[in-house]
Amino acid sequence: MRRSITLPLTLVLLVIMLTACALAQPGPTPAPTMPTQTPATSTATPVPTLTSEPTATQPAAPIVLPAPLYFLAPSDTAPQIWRIETDGVTRTQITQEAAGVNDFDVSASDGALAYVSGNALITTDGLGGNRSVVVQGPALALERDESYFVTEVTRPRWSPDGSRLAYGLNGVYVIEGAGGTPTALLPNDPIPAPGETMTQSVNLYWPHNWSPDGKRMLIDIGYYQSEGDLGVLDLTNNQLQALSSPQGYVCCAPSWSLDSQSIYYANSTPGMIPAGLWRTDVTTGDGVTLIDGIAKDAQLLAAQVQPASDGNLYYFYGVVKAPGEPSSTTPLAMYRAASDGVTDQTQLRRDAYVIGEALWASDGSGAVIVDAQAALEAGDYPPHGPLLYLKADGSPALPLAAEGRLPHWGK
Protein backbone atom coordinates (compact mmCIF):
# COMPACT_ATOMS: atom_id res chain seq x y z
CA MET A 1 0.00 0.00 0.00
CA ARG A 2 1.68 3.22 -1.12
CA ARG A 3 -0.10 6.57 -1.09
CA SER A 4 1.37 9.70 -2.54
CA ILE A 5 2.03 12.18 0.23
CA THR A 6 3.99 15.36 0.67
CA LEU A 7 7.58 15.42 1.86
CA PRO A 8 6.85 16.58 5.44
CA LEU A 9 4.45 13.63 6.01
CA THR A 10 7.04 11.30 4.44
CA LEU A 11 9.51 12.39 7.02
CA VAL A 12 6.99 11.97 9.83
CA LEU A 13 6.51 8.37 8.68
CA LEU A 14 10.26 7.84 8.49
CA VAL A 15 10.61 9.19 12.06
CA ILE A 16 8.02 6.67 13.26
CA MET A 17 9.76 3.85 11.40
CA LEU A 18 13.38 4.83 11.84
CA THR A 19 14.42 5.59 15.39
CA ALA A 20 17.08 8.02 14.38
CA CYS A 21 16.29 9.26 10.86
CA ALA A 22 16.80 13.03 10.46
CA LEU A 23 13.75 15.18 9.64
CA ALA A 24 13.97 17.44 6.62
CA GLN A 25 11.70 20.12 5.20
CA PRO A 26 11.49 20.85 1.46
CA GLY A 27 13.50 23.84 0.33
CA PRO A 28 13.67 25.82 -2.88
CA THR A 29 17.28 24.92 -3.66
CA PRO A 30 18.15 21.74 -5.59
CA ALA A 31 20.39 19.31 -3.71
CA PRO A 32 24.07 19.52 -4.71
CA THR A 33 25.99 16.63 -6.17
CA MET A 34 27.78 14.11 -3.95
CA PRO A 35 30.33 15.97 -1.79
CA THR A 36 33.89 14.88 -1.35
CA GLN A 37 34.32 12.86 1.83
CA THR A 38 37.52 14.11 3.32
CA PRO A 39 39.55 12.16 5.89
CA ALA A 40 41.33 14.24 8.52
CA THR A 41 44.46 13.84 10.57
CA SER A 42 44.02 11.92 13.82
CA THR A 43 44.19 13.88 17.05
CA ALA A 44 44.42 12.68 20.62
CA THR A 45 42.21 13.83 23.46
CA PRO A 46 42.74 13.21 27.16
CA VAL A 47 40.73 10.42 28.77
CA PRO A 48 37.88 11.93 30.82
CA THR A 49 37.88 11.62 34.58
CA LEU A 50 35.32 9.37 36.23
CA THR A 51 32.89 11.23 38.42
CA SER A 52 33.23 8.55 41.08
CA GLU A 53 36.40 6.49 41.37
CA PRO A 54 36.89 3.56 43.74
CA THR A 55 40.09 3.59 45.78
CA ALA A 56 42.31 0.72 46.80
CA THR A 57 40.72 0.68 50.27
CA GLN A 58 37.17 0.41 48.98
CA PRO A 59 35.49 -2.95 48.43
CA ALA A 60 34.86 -4.03 44.86
CA ALA A 61 31.82 -2.33 43.38
CA PRO A 62 28.81 -4.61 42.90
CA ILE A 63 27.97 -5.56 39.31
CA VAL A 64 24.38 -4.64 38.53
CA LEU A 65 24.58 -4.07 34.76
CA PRO A 66 25.64 -6.78 32.29
CA ALA A 67 28.13 -4.35 30.67
CA PRO A 68 29.07 -0.67 30.80
CA LEU A 69 26.32 1.52 29.40
CA TYR A 70 26.74 4.41 26.96
CA PHE A 71 24.04 6.95 26.23
CA LEU A 72 23.45 10.44 24.91
CA ALA A 73 22.53 13.21 27.36
CA PRO A 74 22.99 16.97 27.65
CA SER A 75 26.13 18.56 29.06
CA ASP A 76 25.34 22.26 29.42
CA THR A 77 23.30 22.73 26.24
CA ALA A 78 24.99 20.23 23.89
CA PRO A 79 24.30 16.47 23.85
CA GLN A 80 27.37 14.37 24.66
CA ILE A 81 28.17 10.68 25.09
CA TRP A 82 28.22 9.42 28.69
CA ARG A 83 29.24 6.08 30.19
CA ILE A 84 27.97 4.29 33.29
CA GLU A 85 30.04 1.45 34.75
CA THR A 86 28.60 -1.94 35.65
CA ASP A 87 28.02 -0.76 39.23
CA GLY A 88 25.20 1.38 37.84
CA VAL A 89 26.57 4.47 39.62
CA THR A 90 29.99 5.52 38.34
CA ARG A 91 29.41 7.93 35.49
CA THR A 92 31.81 9.48 32.94
CA GLN A 93 31.29 12.18 30.34
CA ILE A 94 33.14 10.73 27.34
CA THR A 95 32.91 13.42 24.65
CA GLN A 96 33.56 17.13 24.86
CA GLU A 97 32.43 18.19 21.38
CA ALA A 98 31.60 21.88 20.96
CA ALA A 99 28.97 21.02 18.33
CA GLY A 100 27.54 18.22 20.46
CA VAL A 101 26.92 14.64 19.30
CA ASN A 102 24.05 13.72 16.98
CA ASP A 103 24.29 9.92 16.88
CA PHE A 104 26.78 7.23 17.88
CA ASP A 105 27.57 3.54 18.00
CA VAL A 106 29.77 1.27 20.12
CA SER A 107 31.82 -1.55 18.61
CA ALA A 108 30.79 -4.93 19.97
CA SER A 109 34.34 -6.10 19.22
CA ASP A 110 36.51 -3.74 21.26
CA GLY A 111 34.21 -1.02 22.65
CA ALA A 112 35.45 1.70 20.29
CA LEU A 113 33.10 4.62 19.67
CA ALA A 114 31.95 6.13 16.38
CA TYR A 115 29.87 9.28 16.44
CA VAL A 116 28.78 12.30 14.41
CA SER A 117 29.62 15.84 15.48
CA GLY A 118 29.97 18.95 13.36
CA ASN A 119 28.97 16.86 10.32
CA ALA A 120 32.05 14.69 10.78
CA LEU A 121 32.34 10.96 11.45
CA ILE A 122 34.66 10.58 14.45
CA THR A 123 36.10 7.53 16.19
CA THR A 124 37.64 7.19 19.65
CA ASP A 125 38.43 4.42 22.06
CA GLY A 126 35.90 3.52 24.72
CA LEU A 127 36.98 6.36 27.04
CA GLY A 128 37.17 9.06 24.37
CA GLY A 129 40.92 8.88 23.69
CA ASN A 130 42.67 8.56 20.33
CA ARG A 131 40.14 10.79 18.62
CA SER A 132 40.21 10.58 14.84
CA VAL A 133 38.03 12.23 12.19
CA VAL A 134 37.60 9.56 9.52
CA VAL A 135 35.09 11.42 7.29
CA GLN A 136 34.47 15.16 7.13
CA GLY A 137 31.19 16.13 5.49
CA PRO A 138 30.58 19.49 3.82
CA ALA A 139 29.15 22.57 5.50
CA LEU A 140 25.43 22.18 6.13
CA ALA A 141 22.76 24.71 5.27
CA LEU A 142 21.83 26.88 8.25
CA GLU A 143 18.22 25.74 8.02
CA ARG A 144 17.37 22.09 7.43
CA ASP A 145 16.21 21.56 3.85
CA GLU A 146 16.46 18.97 1.08
CA SER A 147 20.19 19.52 0.75
CA TYR A 148 20.59 17.57 4.00
CA PHE A 149 19.66 14.40 2.12
CA VAL A 150 22.94 14.83 0.24
CA THR A 151 25.26 16.63 2.65
CA GLU A 152 24.52 15.31 6.15
CA VAL A 153 26.70 12.64 7.77
CA THR A 154 24.43 10.27 9.71
CA ARG A 155 24.02 6.81 11.25
CA PRO A 156 27.50 5.50 12.20
CA ARG A 157 27.24 1.72 12.52
CA TRP A 158 30.14 -0.61 13.41
CA SER A 159 30.38 -4.00 11.72
CA PRO A 160 30.14 -6.91 14.18
CA ASP A 161 33.90 -7.55 14.02
CA GLY A 162 34.70 -3.85 14.52
CA SER A 163 36.73 -3.58 11.32
CA ARG A 164 34.40 -1.35 9.29
CA LEU A 165 31.95 1.49 9.70
CA ALA A 166 28.77 2.05 7.74
CA TYR A 167 27.36 5.56 7.64
CA GLY A 168 24.94 7.72 5.68
CA LEU A 169 26.03 10.55 3.37
CA ASN A 170 23.95 10.81 0.18
CA GLY A 171 23.45 7.07 0.51
CA VAL A 172 25.04 4.20 2.40
CA TYR A 173 28.82 4.03 2.55
CA VAL A 174 31.35 1.82 4.32
CA ILE A 175 34.85 2.79 5.43
CA GLU A 176 37.58 0.97 7.33
CA GLY A 177 37.52 1.76 11.03
CA ALA A 178 40.99 3.27 10.79
CA GLY A 179 39.91 5.54 7.93
CA GLY A 180 40.77 5.52 4.24
CA THR A 181 38.68 5.66 1.08
CA PRO A 182 34.95 5.02 1.58
CA THR A 183 33.06 2.51 -0.58
CA ALA A 184 29.58 3.29 -1.89
CA LEU A 185 27.06 0.54 -1.18
CA LEU A 186 23.77 2.29 -2.03
CA PRO A 187 24.10 5.87 -3.36
CA ASN A 188 20.92 7.95 -3.22
CA ASP A 189 19.06 8.60 -6.45
CA PRO A 190 19.39 12.21 -7.69
CA ILE A 191 16.74 14.52 -6.27
CA PRO A 192 14.83 16.46 -8.97
CA ALA A 193 15.45 20.19 -9.25
CA PRO A 194 12.55 22.53 -8.42
CA GLY A 195 10.01 22.40 -11.21
CA GLU A 196 11.59 19.31 -12.78
CA THR A 197 9.14 16.52 -13.59
CA MET A 198 9.91 13.32 -11.68
CA THR A 199 9.77 10.51 -14.24
CA GLN A 200 10.79 7.66 -11.94
CA SER A 201 10.95 6.87 -8.25
CA VAL A 202 13.72 8.49 -6.20
CA ASN A 203 15.10 6.35 -3.38
CA LEU A 204 17.08 7.61 -0.39
CA TYR A 205 19.05 5.22 1.82
CA TRP A 206 20.46 5.11 5.36
CA PRO A 207 22.12 2.23 7.25
CA HIS A 208 20.07 0.85 10.13
CA ASN A 209 22.32 -1.92 11.47
CA TRP A 210 24.38 -4.94 10.47
CA SER A 211 23.23 -8.52 10.75
CA PRO A 212 24.90 -10.50 13.57
CA ASP A 213 26.95 -12.48 11.04
CA GLY A 214 28.07 -9.31 9.22
CA LYS A 215 26.86 -10.59 5.83
CA ARG A 216 23.81 -8.35 5.52
CA MET A 217 22.73 -4.86 6.48
CA LEU A 218 19.27 -3.59 7.38
CA ILE A 219 18.60 -0.46 5.29
CA ASP A 220 16.15 2.39 5.86
CA ILE A 221 14.62 3.43 2.54
CA GLY A 222 12.93 6.77 1.94
CA TYR A 223 10.79 7.21 -1.16
CA TYR A 224 11.10 10.87 -2.13
CA GLN A 225 7.67 12.57 -1.97
CA SER A 226 6.11 9.25 -1.02
CA GLU A 227 6.49 6.71 1.76
CA GLY A 228 9.34 4.81 3.39
CA ASP A 229 10.25 1.21 4.01
CA LEU A 230 12.96 -1.20 5.12
CA GLY A 231 15.17 -3.47 3.05
CA VAL A 232 18.05 -5.87 3.59
CA LEU A 233 21.27 -5.46 1.60
CA ASP A 234 23.17 -8.68 0.90
CA LEU A 235 26.82 -7.61 1.23
CA THR A 236 28.07 -10.61 -0.76
CA ASN A 237 26.40 -9.44 -3.98
CA ASN A 238 25.13 -5.92 -3.15
CA GLN A 239 21.52 -6.94 -3.85
CA LEU A 240 18.75 -5.17 -1.94
CA GLN A 241 15.77 -7.25 -0.80
CA ALA A 242 12.63 -5.29 0.03
CA LEU A 243 10.85 -6.43 3.19
CA SER A 244 7.09 -6.78 3.55
CA SER A 245 4.71 -7.06 6.47
CA PRO A 246 1.14 -8.38 6.63
CA GLN A 247 0.25 -4.82 7.65
CA GLY A 248 2.03 -3.12 4.74
CA TYR A 249 4.87 -1.41 6.58
CA VAL A 250 7.74 -3.02 8.46
CA CYS A 251 7.51 -1.01 11.67
CA CYS A 252 8.78 -0.45 14.35
CA ALA A 253 12.17 -0.83 16.20
CA PRO A 254 13.33 -3.77 14.04
CA SER A 255 15.78 -6.31 15.47
CA TRP A 256 17.71 -9.19 13.90
CA SER A 257 17.23 -12.84 14.78
CA LEU A 258 20.42 -14.36 16.16
CA ASP A 259 20.87 -16.50 13.03
CA SER A 260 20.63 -13.40 10.77
CA GLN A 261 17.71 -14.89 8.83
CA SER A 262 14.78 -12.81 10.10
CA ILE A 263 13.74 -9.36 11.27
CA TYR A 264 11.37 -8.97 14.25
CA TYR A 265 9.39 -5.77 14.79
CA ALA A 266 6.42 -4.60 16.84
CA ASN A 267 4.08 -1.63 17.05
CA SER A 268 2.29 -0.40 20.17
CA THR A 269 0.78 2.80 18.73
CA PRO A 270 -2.00 2.05 16.24
CA GLY A 271 -2.31 4.60 13.47
CA MET A 272 -1.06 4.09 9.93
CA ILE A 273 -0.62 0.43 10.90
CA PRO A 274 -2.35 -1.52 13.67
CA ALA A 275 -0.68 -2.79 16.81
CA GLY A 276 1.00 -6.18 16.72
CA LEU A 277 4.22 -8.19 16.48
CA TRP A 278 5.66 -9.63 13.25
CA ARG A 279 8.59 -11.49 11.72
CA THR A 280 9.93 -11.12 8.16
CA ASP A 281 12.27 -13.52 6.37
CA VAL A 282 15.23 -11.56 4.94
CA THR A 283 15.76 -13.96 2.02
CA THR A 284 12.21 -13.90 0.64
CA GLY A 285 11.11 -10.59 2.16
CA ASP A 286 7.82 -12.16 3.28
CA GLY A 287 6.37 -11.38 6.71
CA VAL A 288 4.11 -13.26 9.13
CA THR A 289 2.01 -12.07 12.07
CA LEU A 290 3.00 -13.37 15.51
CA ILE A 291 0.64 -11.24 17.59
CA ASP A 292 -2.44 -9.78 15.92
CA GLY A 293 -3.06 -6.50 17.69
CA ILE A 294 -6.78 -6.52 16.95
CA ALA A 295 -8.50 -8.89 19.35
CA LYS A 296 -12.10 -9.21 20.47
CA ASP A 297 -12.96 -6.17 22.60
CA ALA A 298 -9.27 -5.25 23.02
CA GLN A 299 -6.09 -4.12 21.32
CA LEU A 300 -2.85 -5.99 22.05
CA LEU A 301 0.19 -3.73 22.14
CA ALA A 302 3.77 -4.95 21.72
CA ALA A 303 7.02 -2.98 21.48
CA GLN A 304 10.80 -3.35 21.46
CA VAL A 305 10.93 -7.07 20.67
CA GLN A 306 14.31 -8.80 20.98
CA PRO A 307 15.33 -12.45 20.44
CA ALA A 308 17.60 -13.63 23.28
CA SER A 309 20.29 -16.28 23.60
CA ASP A 310 17.89 -18.56 25.52
CA GLY A 311 15.76 -18.96 22.36
CA ASN A 312 12.85 -16.84 23.63
CA LEU A 313 11.46 -13.50 22.53
CA TYR A 314 11.44 -10.60 24.99
CA TYR A 315 9.24 -7.56 24.51
CA PHE A 316 7.07 -4.98 26.24
CA TYR A 317 3.33 -5.63 26.13
CA GLY A 318 -0.02 -4.28 27.19
CA VAL A 319 -3.73 -4.81 26.59
CA VAL A 320 -6.19 -1.94 26.15
CA LYS A 321 -9.78 -3.12 26.44
CA ALA A 322 -12.63 -1.48 24.53
CA PRO A 323 -13.80 1.24 24.58
CA GLY A 324 -10.32 2.46 25.52
CA GLU A 325 -7.92 3.66 22.82
CA PRO A 326 -4.14 3.12 23.05
CA SER A 327 -1.77 6.02 22.48
CA SER A 328 1.95 6.72 22.36
CA THR A 329 1.87 7.15 26.16
CA THR A 330 0.19 3.84 27.01
CA PRO A 331 2.43 2.08 29.60
CA LEU A 332 3.72 -1.41 28.82
CA ALA A 333 5.18 -4.19 31.00
CA MET A 334 8.03 -6.64 30.38
CA TYR A 335 7.12 -10.04 28.90
CA ARG A 336 8.75 -13.22 27.63
CA ALA A 337 7.40 -15.80 25.18
CA ALA A 338 8.65 -18.62 22.99
CA SER A 339 10.02 -17.83 19.55
CA ASP A 340 6.51 -17.67 18.07
CA GLY A 341 5.74 -14.72 20.34
CA VAL A 342 2.71 -16.25 22.06
CA THR A 343 3.50 -19.72 23.46
CA ASP A 344 4.25 -19.61 27.20
CA GLN A 345 3.75 -15.86 27.27
CA THR A 346 4.84 -14.73 30.75
CA GLN A 347 4.71 -11.35 32.43
CA LEU A 348 8.11 -10.77 34.03
CA ARG A 349 7.45 -7.50 35.87
CA ARG A 350 4.38 -5.82 37.33
CA ASP A 351 5.53 -2.24 36.74
CA ALA A 352 4.78 -0.59 33.39
CA TYR A 353 6.35 2.35 31.56
CA VAL A 354 6.04 4.44 28.42
CA ILE A 355 8.88 2.83 26.47
CA GLY A 356 10.77 5.29 24.29
CA GLU A 357 13.64 2.84 23.69
CA ALA A 358 14.76 -0.47 25.15
CA LEU A 359 18.24 -2.00 25.20
CA TRP A 360 18.00 -5.68 26.14
CA ALA A 361 20.69 -7.80 27.74
CA SER A 362 21.71 -10.51 25.27
CA ASP A 363 20.38 -13.25 27.56
CA GLY A 364 17.09 -11.46 28.30
CA SER A 365 18.00 -10.95 31.95
CA GLY A 366 16.98 -7.30 31.82
CA ALA A 367 16.69 -4.15 29.75
CA VAL A 368 17.64 -0.50 29.97
CA ILE A 369 14.64 1.61 29.02
CA VAL A 370 14.09 5.25 28.19
CA ASP A 371 10.99 6.32 30.14
CA ALA A 372 9.63 8.74 27.54
CA GLN A 373 6.28 9.61 29.11
CA ALA A 374 7.06 13.27 29.85
CA ALA A 375 8.73 13.84 26.48
CA LEU A 376 5.90 12.31 24.48
CA GLU A 377 3.24 14.14 26.47
CA ALA A 378 5.09 17.37 25.69
CA GLY A 379 5.48 16.48 22.01
CA ASP A 380 9.29 16.38 22.22
CA TYR A 381 11.29 14.39 19.69
CA PRO A 382 13.44 12.35 19.70
CA PRO A 383 12.04 10.49 22.73
CA HIS A 384 14.14 10.99 25.85
CA GLY A 385 13.78 10.77 29.59
CA PRO A 386 14.99 8.90 32.66
CA LEU A 387 17.07 5.76 32.08
CA LEU A 388 16.04 2.75 34.16
CA TYR A 389 17.42 -0.77 34.34
CA LEU A 390 14.64 -3.33 34.65
CA LYS A 391 15.67 -6.85 35.61
CA ALA A 392 13.57 -9.73 34.35
CA ASP A 393 13.39 -11.17 37.88
CA GLY A 394 10.95 -8.45 38.91
CA SER A 395 13.30 -6.73 41.40
CA PRO A 396 12.96 -2.97 41.90
CA ALA A 397 13.79 -0.75 38.93
CA LEU A 398 17.30 0.75 39.08
CA PRO A 399 17.49 4.47 38.16
CA LEU A 400 20.62 5.13 36.06
CA ALA A 401 20.29 8.71 34.82
CA ALA A 402 17.70 11.45 35.04
CA GLU A 403 17.93 12.12 31.30
CA GLY A 404 19.17 10.18 28.29
CA ARG A 405 18.52 8.38 25.02
CA LEU A 406 20.23 6.02 22.54
CA PRO A 407 21.50 3.48 25.12
CA HIS A 408 24.27 1.13 23.93
CA TRP A 409 26.19 -1.63 25.72
CA GLY A 410 29.96 -1.16 25.83
CA LYS A 411 33.08 -3.03 26.82
Side-chain angles (χ1 to χ4, degrees):
M1 176 179 64
R2 294 182 179 172
R3 302 177 301 281
S4 179
I5 57 177
T6 60
L7 179 59
L9 182 53
T10 301
L11 297 173
V12 171
L13 175 59
L14 288 176
V15 166
I16 296 173
M17 294 176 55
L18 323 173
T19 58
C21 181
L23 294 173
Q25 300 296 325
T29 306
T33 57
M34 178 63 198
T36 302
Q37 303 179 20
T38 309
T41 304
S42 298
T43 58
T45 56
V47 175
T49 303
L50 297 177
T51 57
S52 175
E53 293 189 9
T55 66
T57 59
Q58 292 178 321
I63 296 177
V64 297
L65 298 177
L69 178 73
Y70 290 85
F71 62 98
L72 212 58
S75 175
D76 295 327
T77 59
Q80 304 289 350
I81 299 173
W82 296 74
R83 169 179 166 125
I84 295 177
E85 302 303 320
T86 56
D87 61 7
V89 176
T90 306
R91 189 179 307 166
T92 315
Q93 181 178 334
I94 298 298
T95 58
Q96 313 277 344
E97 299 289 342
V101 175
N102 301 332
D103 195 2
F104 77 101
D105 195 23
V106 184
S107 171
S109 173
D110 60 5
L113 303 180
Y115 59 90
V116 176
S117 179
N119 210 36
L121 176 60
I122 301 168
T123 61
T124 72
D125 61 33
L127 290 179
N130 300 314
R131 181 182 183 276
S132 177
V133 178
V134 296
V135 173
Q136 177 63 62
L140 297 172
L142 294 180
E143 297 293 333
R144 182 174 288 275
D145 58 22
E146 287 187 353
S147 71
Y148 275 60
F149 285 136
V150 175
T151 59
E152 186 178 30
V153 178
T154 62
R155 306 290 195 85
R157 300 293 185 262
W158 284 108
S159 62
D161 64 3
S163 65
R164 294 176 293 168
L165 271 168
Y167 63 98
L169 178 54
N170 196 28
V172 178
Y173 283 76
V174 169
I175 192 170
E176 294 296 317
T181 302
T183 299
L185 296 182
L186 281 175
N188 287 348
D189 295 333
I191 297 175
E196 180 182 352
T197 300
M198 193 167 60
T199 59
Q200 60 185 17
S201 61
V202 174
N203 294 340
L204 311 173
Y205 304 104
W206 297 266
H208 192 94
N209 56 21
W210 300 70
S211 63
D213 63 9
K215 296 179 180 179
R216 293 180 172 93
M217 189 181 297
L218 188 61
I219 302 293
D220 294 317
I221 307 171
Y223 303 125
Y224 181 71
Q225 292 189 344
S226 185
E227 294 150 349
D229 221 328
L230 284 175
V232 168
L233 182 67
D234 188 329
L235 299 177
T236 64
N237 56 22
N238 217 43
Q239 295 298 306
L240 183 63
Q241 172 66 62
L243 303 181
S244 67
S245 166
Q247 306 303 332
Y249 300 109
V250 178
C251 179
C252 305
S255 60
W256 283 94
S257 62
L258 299 186
D259 63 3
S260 301
Q261 299 304 307
S262 302
I263 300 292
Y264 291 89
Y265 46 102
N267 180 39
S268 62
T269 309
M272 297 191 72
I273 62 173
L277 190 156
W278 306 272
R279 181 183 66 236
T280 290
D281 183 282
V282 301
T283 302
T284 66
D286 297 331
V288 297
T289 298
L290 302 182
I291 294 179
D292 188 341
I294 305 299
K296 182 180 180 180
D297 299 327
Q299 294 194 54
L300 313 182
L301 315 179
Q304 303 290 336
V305 58
Q306 180 65 53
S309 58
D310 62 5
N312 292 313
L313 289 184
Y314 290 77
Y315 50 86
F316 289 87
Y317 183 76
V319 176
V320 176
K321 295 183 179 180
E325 285 294 332
S327 72
S328 62
T329 56
T330 300
L332 305 175
M334 182 182 285
Y335 275 72
R336 179 186 64 226
S339 59
D340 64 2
V342 293
T343 302
D344 297 328
Q345 187 187 61
T346 303
Q347 184 171 350
L348 301 174
R349 300 184 59 91
R350 294 298 174 185
D351 47 349
Y353 302 89
V354 177
I355 309 295
E357 297 175 80
L359 174 66
W360 289 95
S362 61
D363 61 359
S365 59
V368 174
I369 68 161
V370 176
D371 182 354
Q373 180 169 352
L376 292 175
E377 287 177 347
D380 293 343
Y381 188 87
H384 58 91
L387 297 183
L388 305 173
Y389 185 56
L390 308 179
K391 295 189 71 174
D393 63 7
S395 57
L398 175 65
L400 298 174
E403 177 70 19
R405 63 185 184 92
L406 296 182
H408 291 71
W409 296 124
K411 290 287 187 179

